[in-house]
Amino acid sequence: MAGCEESCGFYFVFALVTFFVWMDLSFFDELAEHGSLYNSSMAENMMFPVKSSKIRMQDHADHYVFFPCMKILNEKTGLYTVPGITPNLISGTHLFLAIMAAKCFISGSLCIRRVGVLLYQIRSSLDILDGVVFRAQQNITGKFLSVWGSMGYLIDAFADLCGGLLIGVACTIFLNRYPPWKRVRTKRHVDELESGRNKAVCFPAGEEEERYVHVSRRSVNIKMLLCIVQIVARSGFWDHYLHSYVDLLEVPNPDIPRELQAEVLNYRSTWVVMWLWKVSSADAFLVFTTLAILFDKLWVWVQMLNYFGPLELLFVIVFSQLHLMEVRAYLLGT
């Protein structure tokens, strides 16, 4: 049964990765063909009518699954016109779902934890829906952007932060309740009765035995704390670089021609930086965490995140900063 589940998990992840790679290639191909400047009539015939900086840096699940689904849902049902339906109400709803998902994640039943994964994905779709409803109510078309500093932005950011922290705390509680196993090597010994008393006799050096023991709670808590800190850092840096690129490449600036902004936005180096944040954002890593929970590989994922996550994040930050400095110098001559 375990082998069957692992095979199904492999094929599921393989299909998911294949789909996202195909969508990335399609998005990049359309971007190369049409660029970032086009009118609404052209956008109607495009597979990806929105190509703003934020959508390029959005994680794959949000970009290629939740965003188009929520956009269709909003348009077909007229949700944004329903009295009482506000972005803040939707933000509160997805925070409630995050609480329910976290409650499921601390369960000892894998089935219930998988229900929690489903709840969290619904929560993620609602996180996209609140922005879709906001833009529809404000009559903002053809854009996928954040209104930094507004009350709605702060409420949504608070709900997102709480949702992410809840998942981290829930995973910590689960690993404390059901600590993972680790393999240790110890010297082999036997008890030998000699002269009426027990005496431990060790085998020659080099002969060891393997046994499994629980990972200590201290180790679990330290690694989970580092994971939570890393997720928060990813969220902060993602928002920082998104804001920086939007200010440089999308906000009208009398010192920068609009065509020049579009030119830089279409550079391959710009796409690479934004794609790196697409797979390095906090949202992306929370998706990876839910996949680990889905396939009961949470501790494996936590260890990978601790070993490789900081180096990967540092690389993306350095690369982004160097690119941003070059772009700023090119556009502003500073």
Side-chain angles (χ1 to χ4, degrees):
M1 186 66 180
C4 180
E5 283 195 2
E6 289 189 0
S7 297
C8 291
F10 170 79
Y11 287 118
F12 174 79
V13 172
F14 178 78
L16 204 61
V17 171
T18 302
F19 170 72
F20 288 148
V21 169
W22 177 75
M23 294 297 282
D24 272 341
L25 293 175
S26 300
F27 183 83
F28 184 76
D29 181 65
E30 190 172 279
L31 181 64
E33 181 179 354
H34 298 286
S36 300
L37 293 178
Y38 45 82
N39 54 42
S40 57
S41 60
M42 292 177 61
E44 291 177 357
N45 300 319
M46 292 182 181
M47 185 177 180
F48 306 98
V50 180
K51 298 183 178 67
S52 64
S53 296
K54 184 176 181 180
I55 198 68
R56 299 185 197 195
M57 294 174 66
Q58 203 75 32
D59 68 276
H60 286 84
D62 284 349
H63 185 181
Y64 299 128
V65 180
F66 297 137
F67 177 60
C69 289
M70 293 302 102
K71 188 176 179 182
I72 292 172
L73 174 66
N74 184 61
E75 292 174 351
K76 296 299 183 182
T77 63
L79 186 64
Y80 67 100
T81 63
V82 177
I85 298 297
T86 65
N88 292 341
L89 175 64
I90 299 173
S91 296
T93 303
H94 73 62
L95 176 58
F96 172 75
L97 284 177
I99 296 172
M100 297 300 295
K103 177 66 176 176
C104 293
F105 288 157
I106 65 177
S107 171
S109 168
L110 179 58
C111 182
I112 294 178
R113 295 200 299 276
R114 286 172 172 168
V115 171
V117 172
L118 177 61
L119 289 174
Y120 192 80
Q121 297 312 312
I122 297 174
R123 174 259 161 213
S124 297
S125 65
L126 291 181
D127 187 26
I128 295 295
L129 182 62
D130 61 14
V132 171
V133 169
F134 168 77
R135 287 184 288 274
Q137 291 178 344
Q138 299 297 319
N139 199 28
I140 300 174
T141 59
K143 294 182 180 180
F144 187 83
L145 46 79
S146 296
V147 184
W148 284 280
S150 66
M151 182 58 67
Y153 171 82
L154 295 175
I155 291 174
D156 186 50
F158 174 77
D160 290 344
L161 178 62
C162 289
L165 291 176
L166 282 168
I167 301 308
V169 171
C171 291
T172 304
I173 294 174
F174 170 77
L175 291 173
N176 273 275
R177 285 185 177 180
Y178 310 97
W181 295 91
K182 68 176 180 179
R183 185 174 62 181
V184 297
R185 293 177 178 271
T186 57
K187 292 288 186 180
R188 297 179 60 186
H189 67 277
V190 296
D191 290 336
E192 181 179 86
L193 190 64
E194 182 178 302
S195 302
R197 62 181 180 179
N198 289 332
K199 181 179 180 181
V201 179
C202 294
F203 282 93
E207 292 196 22
E208 298 178 335
E209 66 174 354
E210 291 183 354
R211 61 193 180 95
Y212 289 87
V213 298
H214 285 298
V215 177
S216 68
R217 289 188 174 183
R218 180 175 180 273
S219 178
V220 166
N221 292 333
I222 289 175
K223 288 190 175 183
M224 283 306 305
L225 177 62
L226 292 175
C227 286
I228 293 172
V229 170
Q230 188 180 148
I231 294 294
V232 173
R234 288 177 182 277
S235 177
F237 280 111
W238 182 89
D239 195 68
H240 165 72
Y241 284 107
L242 172 62
H243 203 169
S244 299
Y245 279 113
V246 169
D247 283 345
L248 274 176
L249 305 178
E250 294 186 14
V251 175
N253 189 327
D255 298 326
I256 307 174
R258 184 69 188 94
E259 292 75 15
L260 191 59
Q261 287 180 312
E263 176 190 336
V264 175
L265 189 57
N266 293 336
Y267 281 170
R268 292 185 179 181
S269 59
T270 306
W271 165 248
V272 169
V273 171
M274 293 183 176
W275 186 88
L276 285 174
W277 280 112
K278 199 178 193 70
V279 297
S280 304
S281 66
D283 286 341
F285 272 66
L286 287 173
V287 170
F288 301 152
T289 302
T290 57
L291 284 175
I293 295 172
L294 180 67
F295 298 115
D296 200 21
K297 301 293 183 183
L298 178 60
W299 183 243
V300 175
W301 167 244
V302 168
Q303 290 179 300
M304 288 179 59
L305 191 55
N306 273 277
Y307 293 147
F308 304 112
L311 292 177
E312 187 268 347
L313 178 59
L314 179 62
F315 169 77
V316 175
I317 291 172
V318 171
F319 188 63
S320 301
Q321 188 61 37
L322 291 174
H323 181 265
L324 190 62
M325 291 167 61
E326 288 294 323
V327 168
R328 186 176 286 115
Y330 177 67
L331 293 176
L332 300 175
T334 58

Coordinates of all heavy atoms in Angstrom, one line a residue, residues 37-84:
L37 N 3.0 45.8 -23.8 CA 2.1 46.9 -24.2 C 1.2 46.4 -25.3 O 1.6 46.0 -26.4 CB 2.9 48.1 -24.7 CG 3.8 48.8 -23.7 CD1 4.5 49.9 -24.4 CD2 2.9 49.3 -22.6
Y38 N -0.1 46.3 -25.0 CA -1.1 45.9 -26.0 C -2.5 46.4 -25.5 O -2.7 46.7 -24.3 CB -1.1 44.3 -26.1 CG -1.1 43.6 -24.8 CD1 -2.3 43.4 -24.1 CD2 0.1 43.1 -24.3 CE1 -2.2 42.7 -22.9 CE2 0.2 42.4 -23.1 CZ -1.0 42.2 -22.4 OH -1.0 41.5 -21.2
N39 N -3.4 46.5 -26.5 CA -4.7 47.0 -26.1 C -5.7 45.9 -25.7 O -5.3 44.7 -25.7 CB -5.3 47.8 -27.3 CG -5.4 46.9 -28.6 OD1 -5.7 45.8 -28.5 ND2 -5.0 47.6 -29.7
S40 N -6.9 46.3 -25.2 CA -7.8 45.3 -24.7 C -8.3 44.3 -25.7 O -8.6 43.2 -25.4 CB -9.0 46.1 -24.0 OG -9.6 46.9 -25.0
S41 N -8.4 44.8 -27.0 CA -8.9 43.9 -28.0 C -7.9 42.8 -28.3 O -8.3 41.6 -28.5 CB -9.2 44.7 -29.3 OG -8.0 45.3 -29.8
M42 N -6.6 43.1 -28.2 CA -5.6 42.1 -28.4 C -5.6 41.1 -27.2 O -5.4 39.9 -27.3 CB -4.2 42.7 -28.5 CG -4.0 43.5 -29.8 SD -2.4 44.3 -29.8 CE -1.3 42.9 -29.7
A43 N -5.8 41.7 -26.0 CA -5.8 40.9 -24.8 C -6.9 39.8 -24.8 O -6.7 38.7 -24.2 CB -6.0 41.8 -23.5
E44 N -8.0 40.1 -25.4 CA -9.1 39.1 -25.5 C -8.7 37.8 -26.2 O -9.3 36.8 -25.9 CB -10.3 39.8 -26.2 CG -11.0 40.9 -25.3 CD -12.1 41.5 -26.1 OE1 -12.4 41.1 -27.2 OE2 -12.8 42.4 -25.5
N45 N -7.8 37.9 -27.1 CA -7.4 36.7 -27.8 C -6.1 36.1 -27.3 O -5.6 35.1 -27.9 CB -7.1 37.1 -29.3 CG -8.3 37.7 -30.0 OD1 -9.5 37.2 -29.8 ND2 -8.2 38.7 -30.7
M46 N -5.7 36.5 -26.1 CA -4.5 36.0 -25.5 C -4.8 34.9 -24.5 O -5.9 35.0 -23.8 CB -3.7 37.1 -24.8 CG -3.0 38.1 -25.8 SD -2.1 39.3 -24.9 CE -1.5 40.3 -26.3
M47 N -3.9 34.0 -24.3 CA -4.1 33.0 -23.3 C -3.8 33.6 -21.9 O -4.4 33.2 -20.9 CB -3.1 31.8 -23.5 CG -3.2 30.6 -22.6 SD -2.1 29.3 -23.1 CE -2.4 28.1 -21.8
F48 N -2.9 34.6 -21.9 CA -2.5 35.2 -20.6 C -2.6 36.7 -20.8 O -1.7 37.4 -21.1 CB -1.1 34.9 -20.2 CG -0.8 33.4 -20.1 CD1 -0.2 32.8 -21.2 CD2 -1.1 32.7 -19.0 CE1 0.1 31.4 -21.1 CE2 -0.9 31.4 -18.9 CZ -0.2 30.7 -19.9
P49 N -3.8 37.3 -20.7 CA -4.0 38.7 -20.9 C -3.3 39.6 -19.9 O -3.1 40.8 -20.2 CB -5.6 38.9 -20.8 CG -6.0 37.7 -20.0 CD -5.1 36.6 -20.3
V50 N -3.0 39.1 -18.7 CA -2.4 39.9 -17.7 C -0.9 39.5 -17.5 O -0.6 38.3 -17.4 CB -3.1 39.7 -16.3 CG1 -2.4 40.5 -15.2 CG2 -4.6 40.1 -16.4
K51 N 0.0 40.4 -17.7 CA 1.4 40.1 -17.6 C 2.1 41.1 -16.7 O 3.3 41.5 -17.0 CB 2.0 40.2 -19.0 CG 1.4 39.1 -19.9 CD 2.1 39.1 -21.3 CE 1.6 38.1 -22.2 NZ 0.2 38.3 -22.6
S52 N 1.5 41.6 -15.6 CA 2.1 42.5 -14.7 C 3.2 41.9 -13.9 O 3.4 40.6 -13.9 CB 1.1 43.1 -13.8 OG 0.5 42.1 -13.0
S53 N 4.0 42.7 -13.2 CA 5.1 42.1 -12.4 C 4.6 41.2 -11.4 O 5.2 40.2 -11.1 CB 5.9 43.3 -11.8 OG 6.5 44.1 -12.8
K54 N 3.5 41.5 -10.7 CA 3.0 40.7 -9.6 C 2.6 39.3 -10.1 O 2.9 38.3 -9.5 CB 1.8 41.4 -8.9 CG 1.3 40.6 -7.7 CD 0.2 41.3 -7.0 CE -0.2 40.5 -5.8 NZ -1.3 41.2 -5.0
I55 N 1.9 39.3 -11.2 CA 1.5 37.9 -11.7 C 2.7 37.1 -12.1 O 2.7 35.9 -12.0 CB 0.5 38.1 -12.9 CG1 -0.3 36.8 -13.1 CG2 1.2 38.5 -14.2 CD1 -1.2 36.4 -12.0
R56 N 3.7 37.8 -12.6 CA 5.0 37.0 -13.0 C 5.7 36.5 -11.8 O 6.3 35.4 -11.9 CB 5.9 38.0 -13.8 CG 5.4 38.5 -15.1 CD 6.4 39.3 -15.8 NE 5.8 40.2 -16.8 CZ 6.5 40.7 -17.8 NH1 7.8 40.5 -17.9 NH2 5.9 41.5 -18.7
M57 N 5.6 37.2 -10.7 CA 6.2 36.7 -9.4 C 5.3 35.8 -8.6 O 5.8 35.4 -7.5 CB 6.7 37.9 -8.7 CG 7.8 38.7 -9.4 SD 8.3 40.2 -8.6 CE 9.0 39.6 -7.0
Q58 N 4.1 35.7 -9.0 CA 3.1 34.9 -8.2 C 3.5 33.4 -8.4 O 4.0 33.0 -9.4 CB 1.7 35.1 -8.7 CG 0.6 34.8 -7.7 CD 0.5 35.8 -6.6 OE1 0.8 37.0 -6.8 NE2 0.2 35.4 -5.4
D59 N 3.3 32.6 -7.3 CA 3.6 31.2 -7.4 C 2.8 30.5 -8.5 O 1.7 31.0 -8.9 CB 3.5 30.5 -6.0 CG 2.0 30.4 -5.6 OD1 1.5 31.4 -5.0 OD2 1.4 29.4 -5.8
H60 N 3.2 29.4 -8.9 CA 2.6 28.7 -10.1 C 1.2 28.3 -9.8 O 0.3 28.5 -10.7 CB 3.4 27.4 -10.4 CG 4.7 27.7 -11.1 ND1 5.9 28.0 -10.4 CD2 5.0 27.7 -12.4 CE1 6.8 28.2 -11.2 NE2 6.4 28.0 -12.5
A61 N 0.8 27.8 -8.6 CA -0.5 27.4 -8.3 C -1.5 28.6 -8.4 O -2.6 28.6 -9.0 CB -0.6 26.8 -7.0
D62 N -1.1 29.8 -7.8 CA -1.9 31.0 -7.9 C -2.0 31.5 -9.3 O -3.1 31.9 -9.7 CB -1.3 32.0 -7.0 CG -1.6 31.8 -5.5 OD1 -2.4 30.9 -5.2 OD2 -1.0 32.4 -4.6
H63 N -0.9 31.5 -10.0 CA -0.9 32.1 -11.4 C -1.7 31.3 -12.4 O -2.6 31.8 -13.1 CB 0.5 32.2 -11.8 CG 0.7 32.9 -13.2 ND1 1.9 33.1 -13.8 CD2 -0.2 33.5 -14.0 CE1 1.7 33.8 -14.9 NE2 0.5 34.0 -15.1
Y64 N -1.5 30.0 -12.4 CA -2.0 29.2 -13.5 C -3.3 28.4 -13.1 O -3.9 27.8 -13.9 CB -1.0 28.2 -13.9 CG 0.3 28.9 -14.5 CD1 1.5 28.5 -14.1 CD2 0.1 29.9 -15.5 CE1 2.7 29.2 -14.6 CE2 1.3 30.5 -16.0 CZ 2.5 30.2 -15.5 OH 3.6 30.8 -16.1
V65 N -3.6 28.3 -11.8 CA -4.8 27.6 -11.4 C -5.8 28.5 -10.7 O -6.9 28.7 -11.2 CB -4.4 26.4 -10.4 CG1 -5.6 25.6 -10.0 CG2 -3.4 25.5 -11.1
F66 N -5.4 29.1 -9.6 CA -6.4 29.8 -8.8 C -6.8 31.1 -9.4 O -8.0 31.5 -9.4 CB -5.9 30.1 -7.4 CG -5.6 28.8 -6.6 CD1 -4.4 28.7 -5.8 CD2 -6.5 27.8 -6.6 CE1 -4.2 27.5 -5.1 CE2 -6.3 26.6 -5.9 CZ -5.1 26.5 -5.1
F67 N -5.9 31.9 -10.0 CA -6.3 33.1 -10.6 C -7.3 33.0 -11.7 O -8.3 33.7 -11.7 CB -5.0 33.9 -11.0 CG -5.3 35.2 -11.7 CD1 -6.0 36.2 -11.1 CD2 -4.9 35.4 -13.0 CE1 -6.2 37.4 -11.7 CE2 -5.1 36.6 -13.7 CZ -5.8 37.6 -13.0
P68 N -7.0 32.2 -12.7 CA -8.0 32.0 -13.8 C -9.3 31.5 -13.3 O -10.4 31.9 -13.8 CB -7.3 31.1 -14.8 CG -6.2 30.5 -14.1 CD -5.8 31.4 -13.0
C69 N -9.3 30.5 -12.4 CA -10.5 29.9 -11.8 C -11.3 31.0 -11.1 O -12.6 31.0 -11.2 CB -10.2 28.7 -10.9 SG -9.6 27.3 -11.8
M70 N -10.7 31.7 -10.2 CA -11.4 32.7 -9.4 C -11.9 33.9 -10.3 O -13.0 34.5 -10.1 CB -10.5 33.3 -8.3 CG -10.1 32.3 -7.3 SD -11.6 31.6 -6.4 CE -11.7 30.0 -7.2
K71 N -11.2 34.2 -11.4 CA -11.6 35.2 -12.3 C -12.9 34.8 -13.0 O -13.8 35.5 -13.2 CB -10.5 35.5 -13.3 CG -10.8 36.7 -14.2 CD -9.6 37.0 -15.1 CE -9.9 38.2 -16.0 NZ -8.8 38.5 -16.9
I72 N -12.9 33.5 -13.5 CA -14.1 33.0 -14.2 C -15.2 32.9 -13.2 O -16.4 33.3 -13.6 CB -13.7 31.6 -14.7 CG1 -12.7 31.7 -15.9 CG2 -15.0 30.9 -15.2 CD1 -12.2 30.4 -16.4
L73 N -15.0 32.5 -12.0 CA -16.0 32.4 -11.0 C -16.7 33.8 -10.7 O -17.9 33.9 -10.7 CB -15.5 31.8 -9.7 CG -16.4 31.8 -8.5 CD1 -17.6 30.9 -8.7 CD2 -15.7 31.5 -7.2
N74 N -15.8 34.8 -10.6 CA -16.3 36.1 -10.3 C -17.1 36.7 -11.5 O -18.2 37.3 -11.3 CB -15.1 37.0 -10.0 CG -15.6 38.4 -9.6 OD1 -16.3 38.6 -8.7 ND2 -15.1 39.4 -10.4
E75 N -16.6 36.4 -12.7 CA -17.3 36.9 -13.9 C -18.6 36.2 -14.2 O -19.6 36.8 -14.5 CB -16.4 36.8 -15.1 CG -15.2 37.8 -15.0 CD -14.2 37.5 -16.2 OE1 -14.4 36.5 -16.9 OE2 -13.3 38.3 -16.3
K76 N -18.6 34.9 -14.0 CA -19.8 34.1 -14.3 C -20.9 34.3 -13.3 O -22.1 34.2 -13.6 CB -19.5 32.6 -14.4 CG -18.5 32.3 -15.6 CD -19.1 32.7 -16.9 CE -18.1 32.3 -18.1 NZ -18.7 32.7 -19.4
T77 N -20.6 34.4 -12.0 CA -21.6 34.5 -11.0 C -21.9 36.0 -10.6 O -22.9 36.2 -9.9 CB -21.1 33.8 -9.7 OG1 -19.9 34.5 -9.2 CG2 -20.8 32.4 -10.0
G78 N -21.1 36.9 -11.1 CA -21.3 38.3 -10.7 C -21.1 38.5 -9.2 O -21.8 39.3 -8.6
L79 N -20.1 37.8 -8.6 CA -19.9 37.8 -7.2 C -19.6 39.2 -6.7 O -20.1 39.6 -5.6 CB -18.8 36.9 -6.8 CG -18.5 36.7 -5.3 CD1 -19.7 36.0 -4.7 CD2 -17.2 35.8 -5.1
Y80 N -18.9 40.0 -7.5 CA -18.5 41.3 -7.0 C -19.7 42.3 -6.9 O -19.5 43.4 -6.3 CB -17.4 41.9 -8.0 CG -17.9 42.2 -9.4 CD1 -18.2 43.5 -9.8 CD2 -18.1 41.2 -10.3 CE1 -18.7 43.7 -11.0 CE2 -18.5 41.4 -11.6 CZ -18.8 42.7 -11.9 OH -19.3 43.0 -13.2
T81 N -20.8 41.9 -7.5 CA -22.0 42.8 -7.4 C -22.9 42.4 -6.3 O -23.9 43.1 -6.0 CB -22.8 42.7 -8.8 OG1 -23.2 41.4 -9.0 CG2 -21.9 43.1 -9.9
V82 N -22.6 41.3 -5.6 CA -23.5 40.8 -4.5 C -23.4 41.8 -3.3 O -22.2 42.0 -2.9 CB -23.2 39.4 -4.2 CG1 -24.1 38.9 -3.0 CG2 -23.4 38.5 -5.4
P83 N -24.4 42.3 -2.8 CA -24.3 43.2 -1.6 C -23.7 42.4 -0.4 O -24.1 41.3 -0.1 CB -25.8 43.6 -1.3 CG -26.5 43.4 -2.6 CD -25.8 42.2 -3.3
G84 N -22.8 43.1 0.2 CA -22.2 42.5 1.4 C -20.9 41.7 1.1 O -20.2 41.4 2.0

